[in-house]
Amino acid sequence: LALLAGLDTEAITAQGGKPAEAIALLALVAGQDVEPAEGSDGTDGRWRIARTVAPDRVISTVDPEARHAHKTVERRQDGFKAHVVIEPDTGLATMVELTKAAGPDNSDATVGARLVVADPTIDSPAEVLGDSAYATGDMLAVLEAKRWVPLVKPWPIRPAVEDGFTIDDFTHDPAAGTVTCPAGVTKTITKTRKAVFGIACRACPFRQRCTTAAKGRTIQLHPHDLLQRAHRQRAA
């Protein structure tokens, strides 16, 4: 920040080119990992390491497009992500794209959906193979529109209470716009795609198997909830 304060940043930025890019990168690096210290407004020079991770965090001044990535908690890497569509019988790569290693626009499913639709070698009908990273609702919707069969492992669904009810134990009626819980209580789906059971949970005999929330159970439905349910049933 002291270095930036000593430069005519407006003039450098106005001229453009490499110096302007360097100024922008310096400003980004200066601020992405720190925050004002407790009780500071950021003008008294007191800072601390940020207690969070900056979105789309730049990890290299040499290669500003590089990002942190992790396939699992244990498997971490820095750099970029390669997305490859492979024809399984021949092993030929038919589509390839290199993206940043992080960010929602660069997720496996987002890029995968774009690549399979653009792949001129895929004929209908087709089966699309992939791991659970490709089992998002949006990806399933893309494949459904193409009438392609998704042979991908479904995302695991976790109950709110260990060994308790999952979202599949709640009946979703799209025609009526309702969700019914295992105890038979039916609630209307809100505009934000929620079913709020609230006070109905107080005397419910299944509460201990359903929720620990003081205000009762709330179900949040994905826009492609029905596709995800059908996909889990197919996989089972």
Side-chain angles (χ1 to χ4, degrees):
L1 291 176
L3 178 57
L4 288 171
L7 297 172
D8 189 346
T9 57
E10 291 186 6
I12 296 173
T13 301
Q15 290 178 1
K18 290 288 186 180
E21 294 176 6
I23 286 290
L25 182 59
L26 179 58
L28 175 63
V29 171
Q32 68 178 358
D33 291 332
V34 296
E35 61 187 6
E38 187 174 353
S40 170
D41 61 0
T43 62
D44 58 5
R46 295 190 297 120
W47 301 87
R48 69 179 183 184
I49 300 298
R51 300 300 198 269
T52 184
V53 177
D56 203 27
R57 180 176 181 272
V58 173
I59 64 171
S60 170
T61 57
V62 177
D63 190 352
E65 295 298 302
R67 294 292 184 272
H68 287 313
H70 56 90
K71 184 71 173 178
T72 65
V73 175
E74 293 81 15
R75 182 181 169 188
R76 297 171 181 268
Q77 60 196 64
D78 294 337
F80 297 82
K81 182 181 290 185
H83 307 264
V84 185
V85 180
I86 296 175
E87 202 289 316
D89 291 333
T90 62
L92 294 174
T94 57
M95 296 289 286
V96 178
E97 184 173 334
L98 190 70
T99 70
K100 290 182 181 180
D105 293 337
N106 306 311
S107 71
D108 293 349
T110 298
V111 181
R114 182 168 69 245
L115 291 182
V116 295
V117 169
D119 191 339
T121 71
I122 300 180
D123 297 321
S124 293
E127 295 176 336
V128 178
L129 289 72
D131 62 23
S132 60
Y134 298 93
T136 64
D138 292 340
M139 178 73 164
L140 293 175
V142 168
L143 300 181
E144 174 72 11
K146 286 287 190 178
R147 296 294 186 264
W148 293 343
V149 179
L151 298 182
V152 296
K153 183 180 179 180
W155 276 19
I157 51 174
R158 296 180 176 84
V161 176
E162 187 176 357
D163 297 327
F165 298 122
T166 70
I167 193 172
D168 283 349
D169 294 308
F170 290 73
T171 303
H172 178 186
D173 186 338
T178 60
V179 173
T180 302
C181 77
V185 177
T186 299
K187 292 293 182 179
T188 300
I189 300 171
T190 68
K191 292 182 179 180
T192 56
R193 299 190 60 79
K194 291 181 179 180
V196 182
F197 291 90
I199 195 172
C201 297
R202 289 183 181 176
C204 178
F206 298 145
R207 177 168 184 146
Q208 291 186 341
R209 294 180 57 197
C210 190
T211 183
T212 58
K215 295 183 179 180
R217 185 72 181 265
T218 295
I219 295 293
Q220 177 70 61
L221 296 175
H222 188 277
H224 300 299
D225 175 67
L226 295 175
L227 274 178
Q228 291 175 313
R229 288 171 181 257
H231 181 59
R232 288 192 290 268
Q233 291 173 0
R234 259 197 319 272

